[in-house]
Amino acid sequence: SFHKFYLRRIKRLIPALLFITIFTLTLGFIILLPSPLVLFAESIIYQLGFISNFHFWHHYHFGYMAETALRLPFLHTWSLSLEEQFYLIFPIFLILIFKYFKKYLFLSICVCFFFSLGLSHISSSVYKSFTFYMLPFRGWELLAGSLVAYLKVYQSKNYKLNENSILS
């Protein structure tokens, strides 16, 4: 169920995220000057709302692996934000597909996968930072996992059907 899925994610992610946030914020108060401390606190606020990908895209226009990026301890949370955004949108997509186009579920996921992959490929040379941080361009990575999960469930259902037919 979606409820159990979200509870598991919350139990797995939030305690570690809050611990790291509180620990680094405490260190930040000790070692940072006021101006960098404000920027640091902003990144924490955005990551707590799982929208740090928007924050880092909008405020920092350098590469993820740039030396300047080393001064942003919560830069890595852009991917966590992207993942959480996916897990908010994808269930709605699944519910709509199940309700109206159930037999096209796999095809629908494939279309979204290839659309996102194509969009990422086309835009990556022009809008590098935006493409790097935003869900429509990175969704194909998460949808790849959805396709694998679908095939695994489909394969196990077929295996059980074949196993039952062999035994009878």
Side-chain angles (χ1 to χ4, degrees):
S1 79
F2 291 123
H3 179 72
K4 286 181 183 176
F5 172 77
Y6 288 123
L7 278 177
R8 279 195 322 268
R9 287 197 65 73
I10 288 168
K11 286 179 182 178
R12 187 174 57 111
L13 296 174
I14 299 301
L17 185 62
L18 288 177
F19 173 78
I20 293 297
T21 300
I22 291 167
F23 180 77
T24 55
L25 188 57
T26 304
L27 283 177
F29 275 117
I30 295 168
I31 64 173
L32 292 175
L33 295 172
S35 182
L37 182 60
V38 168
L39 295 174
F40 178 62
E42 280 180 3
S43 69
I44 288 174
I45 290 167
Y46 281 94
Q47 67 92 14
L48 289 173
F50 296 112
I51 53 173
S52 63
N53 57 328
F54 290 95
H55 172 71
F56 291 117
W57 162 71
H58 184 70
H59 292 290
Y60 303 99
H61 298 284
F62 48 79
Y64 184 72
M65 297 296 183
E67 186 176 332
T68 316
L70 295 173
R71 297 187 198 122
L72 300 170
F74 282 94
L75 180 60
H76 69 284
T77 63
W78 72 268
S79 63
L80 182 60
S81 295
L82 201 85
E83 196 178 321
E84 295 312 311
Q85 292 160 18
F86 177 81
Y87 288 130
L88 287 174
I89 294 169
F90 192 62
I92 296 167
F93 169 78
L94 286 178
I95 289 167
L96 291 173
I97 295 299
F98 263 88
K99 188 171 183 174
Y100 299 108
F101 310 104
K102 189 174 183 175
K103 66 181 183 176
Y104 298 110
L105 176 63
F106 183 75
L107 179 62
S108 299
I109 297 172
C110 284
V111 167
C112 291
F113 170 85
F114 285 111
F115 179 77
S116 176
L117 181 61
L119 198 60
S120 175
H121 178 71
I122 290 167
S123 64
S124 63
S125 61
V126 181
Y127 305 106
K128 292 177 183 166
S129 182
F130 189 73
T131 303
F132 183 82
Y133 286 111
M134 295 300 153
L135 181 59
F137 311 96
R138 302 300 289 252
W140 67 270
E141 298 171 47
L142 295 159
L143 288 167
S146 300
L147 290 171
V148 169
Y150 177 91
L151 292 172
K152 186 73 176 165
V153 167
Y154 181 77
Q155 180 185 22
S156 73
K157 282 184 180 178
N158 278 343
Y159 176 75
K160 287 177 185 172
L161 287 175
N162 290 337
E163 187 180 80
N164 289 339
S165 62
I166 291 172
L167 294 175
S168 52

